Amino acid sequence: MRGQVSDLVALDIGGTHARFALVRFGDDGAIIMDDPITLKTSDYVSLQTAWEEFERQVTGPVPRAAALAIAGPVTGETVRLTNNSWVIQTGSLDKQLDLDRVVVLNDFAAVAHAVARVPEDQFLHLSGPDEPLPQNGTVSVIGPGTGLGVAHFKRVDGQYHVQATEGGHVNFAPVDHVEDALLKRLRNQHRRVSVERVVAGPGIVEIYETLASLEHRSVEQLDDRTVWERGLAHTDNLAVAAIERFCMALGSASGDYALSHGASAVVMAGGLGYRIRDTLRYSGFAERFRFKGRYEPLMANIPVKLITHPQPGLFGAAAAFQREHFLETV
Ligand SMILES: Nc1ncnc2c1ncn2[C@@H]1O[C@H](COP(=O)(O)OP(=O)(O)OP(=O)(O)O)[C@@H](O)[C@H]1O
């Protein structure tokens, strides 16, 4: 896109990183995105100072329009990020960043927009019938990462509507004795145990230590990244078992979301989901997804896919902006 005038700055603001990308909208509605500039949120005291740095790094004019996908509930005028100290006042962003048009949405709602808009070849089949996403119906979008993002969208006659949720905070529901032990362990630490305590990156440590205690083994204290790395590299059998257990718990939770959303398809998203994509396909994920008593035949008919687009949050923020300001029909 270099050398062409951009239409929009798309931002994806997470707990650890803020990503900025220049976007141009093609005459046919295509969303053409430049490579993102990634900044560490902890290196900047506010969105405004990070934006200044982005402007310094860009050659050429910066568009006076922005779409922000933010990791936190976007409800009132003030948005507090879940894992960083920035406070974003949505009502005055245009003045603070010198913008003419701004769209702000939850980061996982942005991912759902991306799932609704990217072409079929950007999905990898995980389980269930190997068929395209439905033209009409509800799709659950689930993303284990630092937390557990959950959203859904409903497509009807070529239009779609996205709903952000706080689904990662529903209760963790164990279905076997290992998960009973995991819940017991977590309940000693937290008054209430949400599914995000298990089905998100940091949960792997709890699973690892629970498995060790079931074998009366003492293990060194590891951080989540190390357990993931050892398990994915098959250098630590307990970590391999913990990842298998993680996939099973993700399958259970995904099935619960599909049931409660009335979904006819499910899409996994997020950096962690992508990292474990091959393991997920050959794990107990699919069996646990279906394991819903008399609804097993219904669950077996739900396709589960994984989005492979590298920046669904940025792409989805641009899609949300485009729909609000340019296109009535997507
Ligand atoms: N090699 C790795 N590097 C970092 N995190 C890893 C790695 N392998 C597994 N993880 C797990 O993935 C989680 C982060 O997930 P993900 O990469 O999806 O980030 P995210 O939630 O999208 O965050 P952000 O948008 O702020 O980068 C970490 O909490 C960690 O437990």
Side-chain angles (χ1 to χ4, degrees), residues 37 44 48-59 62:
I37 290 173
Y44 301 89
Q48 289 93 311
T49 58
W51 179 277
E52 276 170 16
E53 175 57 24
F54 159 71
E55 288 195 318
R56 270 193 289 276
Q57 292 193 22
V58 170
T59 44
V62 173

Side-chain angles (χ1 to χ4, degrees), residues 47-98:
L47 171 61
Q48 289 93 311
T49 58
W51 179 277
E52 276 170 16
E53 175 57 24
F54 159 71
E55 288 195 318
R56 270 193 289 276
Q57 292 193 22
V58 170
T59 44
V62 173
R64 304 296 5 139
L68 286 80
I70 304 181
V74 178
T75 42
E77 284 272 294
T78 305
V79 180
R80 285 173 209 285
L81 272 91
T82 311
N83 289 312
N84 88 27
S85 58
W86 294 3
V87 179
I88 297 174
Q89 303 293 352
T90 54
S92 51
L93 266 179
D94 49 350
K95 288 185 197 65
Q96 289 167 5
L97 304 178
D98 189 20

Side-chain angles (χ1 to χ4, degrees), residues 8-9 50 54 74-75 195 214 248 251 298 327:
L8 174 78
V9 181
F54 159 71
V74 178
T75 42
V195 68
L214 285 171
M248 290 165 72
L298 179 116
L327 301 173

